[in-house]
Amino acid sequence: MAAQAGVALKTVSRVVNGEPGVGPGTLARVEQAIIELGYRRNESARQLRSGRAGTLAMVVRDIADPFFAAIGRAVEMTAHRDGQVVMIGSTHEDPKREREVALAFCARRPDALILAPIADSQDYLHPEVEAGLPVVAIDRPAHGILADTVLSDNVGGIRAAVAHLVSHGHRRIGYLGDDQMVYTARERVVAYRAALAEHGIAGDEALVRLAAPTPEGIAHSLGDLLGLGPVPGGLAGAGPVTALITANNRITAEVLRQLPNLPRRTALIGFDDLELADLLVPGLTVIAQDAEGIGRAAMELLDTRLTDPRLPAREVRIPTTLIIRGSAE
Amino acid sequence: MAAQAGVALKTVSRVVNGEPGVGPGTLARVEQAIIELGYRRNESARQLRSGRAGTLAMVVRDIADPFFAAIGRAVEMTAHRDGQVVMIGSTHEDPKREREVALAFCARRPDALILAPIADSQDYLHPEVEAGLPVVAIDRPAHGILADTVLSDNVGGIRAAVAHLVSHGHRRIGYLGDDQMVYTARERVVAYRAALAEHGIAGDEALVRLAAPTPEGIAHSLGDLLGLGPVPGGLAGAGPVTALITANNRITAEVLRQLPNLPRRTALIGFDDLELADLLVPGLTVIAQDAEGIGRAAMELLDTRLTDPRLPAREVRIPTTLIIRGSAE
């Protein structure tokens, strides 16, 4: 490329790394050589392998969600070891914003993109992927583009939680999940129904509440499920639940906040761990996702894809762990 | 600029926003015009005000620290309202990494930089600031460059905590703080000593421990301060403390984790709030920082600086709040 542009290698390096000290005419020649030689693709692979300062883009749903913050940290740690910098942004569950943030980041020419999708389709990334940008979807699959995927073993996590509750005598197990539009919410509630069936428990859809978590919605659902609702006795006929599964950390935190005013005997297992969850009385039993494992797996998938961009799309499932602390025992 | 480059306005817009569809020759002419006209400075201001998609860079110490995650979220919310995208990265308390991440981000031409400094000097940003990049330092001041600053009212927070403990009869108040190399750690411990003096309490440096928080170090300090150390009776002569102030959320979380095995009668106030802190028994009394207020103030300082780059450096202090929940009462 230096030859093509008729400049020194050092000058190319300056342009690529955005360093000062390059005259406008020279910059123009190097930029042109970059475009003509399709520089970006190979350089990205080289940078990632060689440990030269490259940049990874990471777009999550909410950086203030401890789950995504922990994945971000794991990615940063691995990237730093490889001499890379990570730029992280949030979509806040807004498909339009996912597109804006992801494209704004892509315009900064990252070596790769790690994305927690919220939009129905990521086809807006098609030109980037065609130009050689490796994409890894985390937490939920991407659609409309070639992307590797790292997901938690949602089914295994829910199965372990249901088995644990059944082994403690529970058969009326309530379920508070997120909106079914959300991939993980869907996967988890399907796993809940299947796990009940495995234990010979007839599913009762009256015990299942699926909605974006709001304090009011959760208060209402808890009232119903625990027999404290506007209808005396709560659920018609069958009576209140004896156990609850809360299907993500936002729902769990809200339920914990509301539970002091509700029957504390109800067993509770939350999906996702929370800081200080071990210090509650009783300690909170959780299905912990391996944020570090997810971050590391994403980096490994990127690494192999940069080495061989023609690999078919791969999917990795990261195991969850049931951490028993007292709230469901 | 379009005239200078001899291209359509739309083409300039494409180049600036990193969109495809611009030929290499055209790209070169626009890039040259950008450099010759010093485009970046004014365009940044215009973008921020007009709400066109611009990008803010934000470099914090640890994205997985709930304090910084909350500031990040607040900045993202305000930026989104202004049609901007935020790229966030972490330094993990490493001065070398601060420089790497900040410069890598600056190479992506953000409209502004929000930085939580860790290095002794930010003079490596001097060329960027000279070129018109507005910088706001948060949590700690920057040095060696012109930057606006948003800090928490550390002194007010510690004063309120000490006054609260004294009003509950405590006079032997231990203090676990971070390494004195850290600006906020220094400001807070100085405030602690001054607040004791205000209440006529002679300071006892044996009650003060300042070190980067490690589980071992905190176990050792707690053992000493609470009279459980290797020396029977703990602190020579004066006896154990009756109250503790933990000067950041990492220290507080570690103390809470170790306290079940230690006398629970000791009053505890932590600097920084923690998720679920209200659900502990007793609830954790904290000096809460206003992460949202810090984020918003940073955005306001950037906004006015973009309007008038010649403003002198300004410093804003954001009040803290003592949230009383039971652990110190």
Side-chain angles (χ1 to χ4, degrees):
Chain A
M1 182 177 320
Q4 175 93 5
V7 300
L9 197 58
K10 177 83 193 152
T11 308
V12 174
S13 157
R14 281 212 183 99
V15 171
V16 169
N17 294 311
E19 290 167 7
V22 181
T26 308
L27 176 62
R29 282 206 303 282
V30 174
E31 290 269 7
Q32 184 157 347
I34 286 172
I35 290 159
E36 284 169 15
L37 295 176
Y39 157 85
R40 185 156 150 273
R41 193 176 319 205
N42 301 323
E43 182 64 8
S44 297
R46 208 186 66 69
Q47 279 188 0
L48 200 62
R49 279 199 301 275
S50 71
R52 271 196 47 224
T55 304
L56 282 183
M58 180 163 175
V59 178
V60 298
R61 284 203 296 289
D62 183 357
I63 196 58
D65 180 328
F67 172 60
F68 288 112
I71 298 178
R73 189 174 212 279
V75 167
E76 280 183 333
M77 288 301 185
T78 308
H80 179 61
R81 207 197 48 207
D82 297 343
Q84 286 195 306
V85 159
V86 185
M87 49 185 182
I88 306 181
S90 306
T91 62
H92 297 286
E93 306 277 340
D94 177 350
K96 191 165 153 276
R97 200 154 163 189
E98 171 190 316
R99 188 193 161 101
E100 279 168 17
V101 176
L103 288 180
F105 278 22
C106 286
R108 266 80 194 173
R109 300 194 182 172
D111 295 334
L113 172 66
I114 297 174
L115 173 69
I118 171 72
D120 288 338
S121 169
Q122 281 65 47
D123 54 7
Y124 63 88
L125 285 173
H126 192 69
E128 303 291 335
V129 173
E130 278 297 295
L133 182 77
V135 177
V136 176
I138 55 170
D139 191 50
R140 304 175 192 175
H143 297 288
I145 52 165
L146 175 78
D148 297 312
T149 311
V150 184
L151 305 172
S152 272
D153 179 13
N154 293 305
V155 174
I158 292 289
R159 273 186 86 192
V162 170
H164 185 71
L165 291 170
V166 169
S167 77
H168 283 76
H170 297 284
R171 297 187 65 84
R172 288 188 64 74
I173 302 169
Y175 185 94
L176 294 185
D178 207 337
D179 191 327
Q180 281 204 76
M181 293 296 291
V182 177
Y183 176 87
T184 46
R186 222 157 43 228
E187 219 177 44
R188 288 172 196 173
V189 72
V190 168
Y192 155 83
R193 291 186 186 115
L196 287 183
E198 268 181 57
H199 293 282
I201 300 172
D204 179 352
E205 286 304 309
L207 308 189
V208 178
R209 303 297 159 112
L210 302 173
T214 63
E216 303 71 32
I218 287 171
H220 186 80
S221 297
L222 283 177
D224 279 358
L225 295 177
L226 303 178
L228 304 165
V231 182
L235 302 163
V241 303
T242 64
L244 261 183
I245 295 174
T246 48
N248 69 44
N249 61 5
R250 300 301 87 194
I251 298 173
T252 309
E254 189 54 38
V255 166
L256 286 170
R257 208 142 269 134
Q258 296 191 12
L259 266 184
N261 308 315
L262 290 168
R264 206 64 179 86
R265 294 291 171 78
T266 311
L268 178 63
I269 299 183
F271 213 109
D272 291 325
D273 205 359
L274 288 165
E275 186 166 51
L276 306 192
D278 53 327
L279 299 175
L280 299 178
V281 181
L284 179 67
T285 294
V286 297
I287 305 153
Q289 298 193 71
D290 180 4
E292 222 180 291
I294 293 170
R296 270 202 317 267
M299 294 294 281
E300 279 162 27
L301 288 174
L302 287 179
D303 201 31
T304 49
R305 179 157 300 281
L306 284 164
T307 309
D308 183 359
R310 292 158 311 170
L311 284 170
R314 294 155 299 166
E315 182 182 298
V316 176
R317 289 273 174 180
I318 305 295
T320 58
T321 310
L322 186 70
I323 304 178
I324 293 166
R325 296 195 182 117
S327 68
E329 289 75 43
Chain B
M1 183 177 319
Q4 176 94 6
V7 300
L9 198 58
K10 177 81 192 155
T11 308
V12 174
S13 157
R14 281 213 182 98
V15 171
V16 168
N17 294 312
E19 290 166 6
V22 181
T26 308
L27 176 62
R29 283 206 303 284
V30 175
E31 291 269 9
Q32 184 155 347
I34 286 171
I35 290 158
E36 283 169 16
L37 295 174
Y39 157 86
R40 184 156 150 274
R41 192 176 319 205
N42 300 323
E43 182 62 9
S44 296
R46 208 187 62 72
Q47 278 188 359
L48 200 61
R49 279 198 301 275
S50 71
R52 272 199 43 227
T55 303
L56 282 182
M58 179 162 176
V59 178
V60 299
R61 285 203 296 289
D62 182 358
I63 196 58
D65 180 328
F67 172 59
F68 288 112
I71 298 177
R73 190 174 211 280
V75 168
E76 280 184 334
M77 287 301 183
T78 309
H80 179 61
R81 207 195 49 208
D82 297 344
Q84 286 195 307
V85 158
V86 185
M87 49 186 182
I88 306 182
S90 307
T91 62
H92 296 285
E93 306 276 341
D94 178 349
K96 191 165 152 277
R97 199 155 164 190
E98 171 189 316
R99 188 192 161 102
E100 278 168 17
V101 176
L103 287 180
F105 278 22
C106 285
R108 267 79 194 175
R109 299 194 182 170
D111 294 334
L113 172 66
I114 298 174
L115 173 70
I118 172 71
D120 287 339
S121 168
Q122 281 65 46
D123 54 8
Y124 63 88
L125 285 173
H126 192 70
E128 302 291 335
V129 173
E130 279 297 296
L133 182 78
V135 178
V136 176
I138 55 170
D139 191 52
R140 305 175 192 173
H143 298 287
I145 52 167
L146 174 78
D148 297 313
T149 311
V150 184
L151 305 172
S152 272
D153 179 13
N154 293 305
V155 174
I158 292 289
R159 273 186 85 194
V162 169
H164 185 71
L165 290 169
V166 169
S167 77
H168 283 77
H170 297 285
R171 295 186 68 83
R172 288 187 63 74
I173 301 168
Y175 186 94
L176 294 185
D178 207 337
D179 189 328
Q180 281 204 78
M181 292 297 290
V182 177
Y183 176 87
T184 46
R186 220 157 45 230
E187 219 177 43
R188 289 172 195 172
V189 72
V190 167
Y192 155 85
R193 292 186 185 114
L196 288 182
E198 268 181 58
H199 293 282
I201 300 172
D204 179 351
E205 285 304 309
L207 307 190
V208 179
R209 304 296 158 110
L210 301 174
T214 63
E216 302 70 34
I218 287 171
H220 185 81
S221 296
L222 282 178
D224 278 0
L225 295 177
L226 303 178
L228 303 166
V231 182
L235 303 161
V241 302
T242 63
L244 263 182
I245 294 173
T246 48
N248 69 45
N249 60 6
R250 301 300 88 194
I251 298 172
T252 309
E254 188 55 38
V255 166
L256 286 170
R257 207 141 270 136
Q258 296 191 11
L259 266 184
N261 308 316
L262 290 168
R264 207 66 181 80
R265 294 291 172 76
T266 311
L268 176 63
I269 299 183
F271 212 108
D272 291 324
D273 204 358
L274 288 165
E275 186 167 49
L276 306 191
D278 53 328
L279 299 176
L280 299 177
V281 182
L284 179 68
T285 294
V286 298
I287 305 153
Q289 299 192 71
D290 179 5
E292 221 179 293
I294 292 171
R296 270 201 318 268
M299 294 294 282
E300 278 161 27
L301 287 173
L302 287 179
D303 199 32
T304 49
R305 179 156 301 281
L306 284 164
T307 309
D308 184 358
R310 293 158 312 173
L311 284 170
R314 294 155 300 166
E315 182 182 298
V316 176
R317 289 273 175 180
I318 304 295
T320 58
T321 311
L322 186 70
I323 304 179
I324 294 166
R325 297 196 182 116
S327 68
E329 288 78 42

